[in-house]
Amino acid sequence: MTAPPAPPAPPATPPALPVLACGEIRTCVLPSLNPLDARAAAQLLRLRPDERVLVSERPNLYVRSPQTLTGVDCRMPTSNGAKVRVVGTVATRAALTEGRILQSSAHVRALARGPERRRPWGHYLIHPGVLEPLGRLPEHEAAQGVLDGAGHGELDLGLIADGTLTTLLRHPLLDQKAPLKSRHTRLRWAARQAEPGEGPVIEEFTLTEDDLRTVRLRVPAATDPAAVAALCEDLALHDWLLTTVVRLLDGRLGPAEGPDALTALRPAVEHLIHLWMPAARGDHALRGLWNVLEQNPGFTRQWDNLVQRIRDRLALLNALTRQPIGP
């Protein structure tokens, strides 16, 4: 007697896919009178002893730390006040450009839906940089909530990035003698999935008060969130450069001559001008997004104008110092 055929297995539930990637970046000048070379930079950014630091020397010196994880169990910021609990890990990394500009970046990708109850921590640890909601994630409201900023008890990616930055700024390698006066800048970003067949796009780039910038993007579903984070880190770096040079020169390109004018121009010339290199690295599929920023607000156009004004002023000062004094 043959056994009856087994009933067909129920269709497998498709795994939940990330529908939102978001992060926050801190950018500042390294408090070191001299820039760090590749070896010292790698020592500074060795956040984990079990993984190597990435060092790239072309087209400029760029050193990036291994990724570290921070476990979170909190509410997701939402623009409509919806209380959505998320559990998982936040990925954090730091980078140093030309031994001079330090960045700390925290980012995550969030699933569309998760279980109704929290899983054991081991589950979340094997999915680094992923947040699972308990239930459904309202992706639009969550994206806007991240850009608006965290409230009490909510996911605060900026706080996590700040923690890594603070640790690095206290490193014994640093002499705490910054070569110029500048502020830290913050950049928050949120990327939702683009419609099928559509490419990546920057929907909005906003400069707000207190050195905060926000970026809203759409990217194809297959885009690596780490690549989006790298794009935003590059944007944050060049925004910091532009912001810092504007502030260094604010009101100082008037009729000042001699030592005062040179004192104003020297930090920009010695430490910043050579660092401008947008889209030097990163995912080729996302580099085209820089074209949007070049059109509006016109990053490189403004930068080139500032650099030309600095060079014109230096040429004028040089000509004036060569003129004979007196009749």
Side-chain angles (χ1 to χ4, degrees):
M1 180 177 179
T2 59
T13 303
L17 298 175
V19 293
L20 172 66
C22 51
E24 189 155 342
I25 303 156
R26 298 288 190 266
T27 307
C28 67
V29 67
L30 192 72
S32 173
L33 190 59
N34 297 310
L36 300 188
D37 59 21
R39 183 175 180 179
Q43 185 178 347
L44 172 72
L45 298 185
R46 189 168 288 113
L47 299 182
R48 292 178 53 176
D50 58 332
E51 288 194 27
R52 296 182 62 183
V53 174
L54 169 70
V55 178
S56 172
E57 296 184 350
R58 300 289 185 274
N60 57 9
L61 178 60
Y62 175 80
V63 183
R64 193 177 71 203
S65 75
Q67 177 175 279
T68 62
L69 300 177
T70 301
V72 294
D73 182 347
C74 56
R75 286 192 293 117
M76 189 77 177
T78 55
S79 58
N80 62 354
K83 296 182 179 180
V84 180
R85 182 181 171 189
V86 290
V87 187
T89 58
V90 176
T92 308
R93 64 190 185 190
L96 188 64
T97 301
E98 284 291 341
R100 182 59 78 193
I101 310 304
L102 179 64
Q103 294 183 287
S104 175
S105 172
H107 68 275
V108 294
R109 58 190 189 274
L111 303 184
R113 179 176 292 277
E116 296 299 324
R117 302 182 66 178
R118 176 177 153 171
R119 306 178 196 260
W121 265 117
H123 167 80
Y124 302 107
L125 291 175
I126 62 175
H127 297 88
V130 175
L131 295 183
E132 291 188 3
L134 300 191
R136 188 184 68 85
L137 180 76
E139 57 183 280
H140 173 76
E141 291 78 6
Q144 187 59 50
V146 168
L147 297 179
D148 291 341
H152 179 69
E154 295 179 337
L155 176 69
D156 192 335
L157 297 174
L159 186 64
I160 296 173
D162 263 338
T164 299
L165 187 65
T166 299
T167 299
L168 292 172
L169 292 177
R170 293 173 178 170
H171 198 285
L173 272 174
L174 307 179
D175 57 22
Q176 304 304 321
K177 297 178 181 179
L180 55 94
K181 292 183 179 180
S182 64
R183 302 180 190 174
H184 295 199
T185 57
R186 302 174 292 153
L187 185 143
R188 290 181 192 144
W189 60 272
R192 297 175 60 201
Q193 287 185 9
E195 295 297 327
E198 293 186 356
V201 61
I202 293 179
E203 295 184 321
E204 185 179 60
F205 173 71
T206 305
L207 279 69
T208 66
E209 71 285 352
D210 299 326
D211 301 298
L212 172 66
R213 289 85 172 94
T214 61
V215 184
R216 188 194 317 274
L217 309 97
R218 290 272 191 168
V219 296
T223 305
D224 183 0
V228 185
L231 169 75
C232 293
E233 289 161 8
D234 194 30
L235 171 56
L237 170 68
H238 289 84
D239 172 78
W240 182 91
L241 285 170
L242 188 57
T243 300
T244 301
V245 171
V246 167
R247 286 173 176 162
L248 282 174
L249 305 183
D250 186 22
R252 300 180 184 181
L253 286 180
E257 300 177 5
D260 289 342
L262 287 175
T263 299
L265 299 175
R266 185 171 180 173
V269 174
E270 288 191 351
H271 306 296
L272 302 180
I273 285 180
H274 64 288
L275 298 181
W276 191 264
M277 204 175 293
R281 294 179 177 82
D283 192 311
H284 289 278
L286 298 178
R287 289 184 184 180
L289 293 179
W290 265 103
N291 295 333
V292 177
L293 299 170
E294 299 295 15
Q295 295 171 11
N296 184 23
F299 270 60
T300 298
R301 184 168 61 248
Q302 184 179 4
W303 178 263
D304 288 345
N305 181 60
L306 287 170
V307 171
Q308 189 59 52
R309 291 178 68 193
I310 291 171
R311 289 173 175 164
D312 289 346
R313 175 49 57 90
L314 290 174
L316 177 60
L317 289 171
N318 183 55
L320 290 173
T321 57
R322 293 185 178 186
Q323 290 183 359
I325 299 176

